[in-house]
Amino acid sequence: QVQLVESGGGLVQPGGSLRLSCTASGFTLDYYVIGWFRQVPGKEREGVSCISATDGNTHYVDLVKGRFTISVDKAKNTAFLQMNSLKPEDTAVYYCAAVASSTYYLGGMDYWGKGTLVTVSS
């Protein structure tokens, strides 16, 4: 069965850190672009970061640049999002998604996880 499963969410204080994981099963991430997205209830889903497992190229939105780091461990078939200096406005459900590198330009993702909740609060 093809799926992505996120983990690592939880409650953290402002300024703290969390490391999210996204493990793929039923397919390999080796030739995929993996993205992290987040969504607050009542708000639009927004892209946070993405990485190409093929060449390692990364992208971050300005709001998280310098604080978040995306990576992929091909041996573990898992992508990560290291989140540092967390702010209350980072609170959201975080989703990982993947799209084949060869068709990335078409837009849209092939697979989505169910999400993991990150709450940044005192």
Side-chain angles (χ1 to χ4, degrees):
Q1 188 175 26
V2 174
Q3 63 177 1
L4 294 171
V5 179
E6 303 97 336
S7 63
L11 175 64
V12 64
Q13 293 184 320
S17 299
L18 282 175
R19 188 195 193 205
L20 305 183
S21 299
C22 173
T23 299
S25 60
F27 73 105
T28 177
L29 291 174
D30 289 9
Y31 307 107
Y32 280 74
V33 172
I34 304 99
W36 285 96
F37 301 78
R38 65 186 183 186
Q39 187 169 30
V40 177
K43 305 291 184 180
E44 294 182 355
R45 178 186 291 161
E46 64 175 349
V48 176
S49 181
C50 63
I51 183 170
S52 170
T54 301
D55 58 26
N57 286 341
T58 60
H59 171 76
Y60 303 90
V61 295
D62 289 342
L63 285 171
V64 308
K65 209 163 190 175
R67 299 189 296 121
F68 292 8
T69 302
I70 190 170
S71 62
V72 61
D73 186 332
K74 296 178 182 179
K76 295 181 178 180
N77 211 27
T78 300
F80 303 93
L81 185 67
Q82 179 66 46
M83 309 164 69
N84 299 326
S85 301
L86 284 163
K87 306 173 181 179
E89 49 263 46
D90 293 319
T91 296
V93 176
Y94 284 72
Y95 301 88
C96 68
V99 59
S101 298
S102 60
T103 58
Y104 177 73
Y105 68 96
L106 295 175
M109 309 302 285
D110 295 332
Y111 309 111
W112 286 88
K114 290 182 169 57
T116 185
L117 177 63
V118 172
T119 303
V120 185
S121 176
S122 297

